[in-house]
Amino acid sequence: DAMIAMVVVAIGLFGVAKLNSVMLEGTGIAKTRAEAIHLAEEKIEQCRAYQPPFSKCVTSTSAEQLDFKDADGKLFRKFSREWKIVDLNAIDKSQPAQLSVCVSWGGTCWDANAEQRENKVELHTLLAWSDIGTGAAIGGATNAPGGGMPKTPAGVE
């Protein structure tokens, strides 16, 4: 009876150890994906900060290499970030453009290979710019062209 009890306890402990290792692996993958999403969102915000026609975000010509370190300063993961900008209207450059940002680790970004899909994060968005003069008029004084701050739907400035 004691031998059977020891075997049952051993199998239970083995199951708990296996569950723990699976959970730790899942946590590591989630952390890697969260860092990759952060890097992709960072690039999107950088591109949104440009103000055409004076400056404009352009498609990357080579992958940008980025390192993430843990709290102790040790290298956690190496990332590669690439982005593409496609003008949706080839004639009117003031129209929205599609921005695709890809952050990968241990692979390449734009490869359609099934194995590569597990090691990358892709975010897609539209970039639309307004004339910088329009922004100044809206945020300016009440005597500025456009009348200052726009009214809310309730009519309050």
Side-chain angles (χ1 to χ4, degrees):
D1 287 340
M3 186 66 103
I4 293 173
M6 287 179 60
V7 168
V8 169
V9 168
I11 290 172
L13 289 175
F14 178 73
V16 168
K18 181 68 176 169
L19 176 66
N20 190 28
S21 69
V22 168
M23 288 177 52
L24 284 175
E25 182 181 343
T27 302
I29 291 169
K31 181 177 180 182
T32 301
R33 287 195 177 281
E35 298 293 355
I37 289 170
H38 169 75
L39 289 171
E41 288 174 341
E42 180 181 66
K43 178 46 76 177
I44 289 171
E45 292 305 317
Q46 287 173 0
C47 286
R48 284 184 177 153
Y50 286 100
Q51 266 306 313
F54 307 108
S55 62
K56 188 173 181 180
C57 194
V58 294
T59 299
S60 64
T61 55
S62 63
E64 183 179 18
Q65 301 301 318
L66 304 159
D67 295 339
F68 258 87
K69 298 182 178 180
D70 63 12
D72 299 329
K74 295 178 185 173
L75 182 63
F76 167 66
R77 177 92 51 204
K78 286 183 173 281
F79 291 99
S80 174
R81 179 169 65 183
E82 299 177 55
W83 58 96
K84 291 190 242 182
I85 298 177
V86 177
D87 288 321
L88 298 178
N89 186 336
I91 297 168
D92 186 1
K93 299 294 185 185
S94 67
Q95 294 299 313
Q98 181 178 359
L99 170 62
S100 299
V101 180
C102 177
V103 178
S104 67
W105 57 98
T108 58
C109 272
W110 308 115
D111 188 4
N113 186 348
E115 291 179 15
Q116 297 299 326
R117 280 184 267 162
E118 298 297 320
N119 294 333
K120 70 180 178 179
V121 169
E122 284 186 50
L123 297 182
H124 307 278
T125 188
L126 291 177
L127 296 176
W129 298 279
S130 63
D131 180 12
I132 197 165
T134 303
I138 289 174
T142 55
N143 60 355
M149 296 301 289
K151 294 189 183 293
T152 65
V156 179
E157 286 190 35

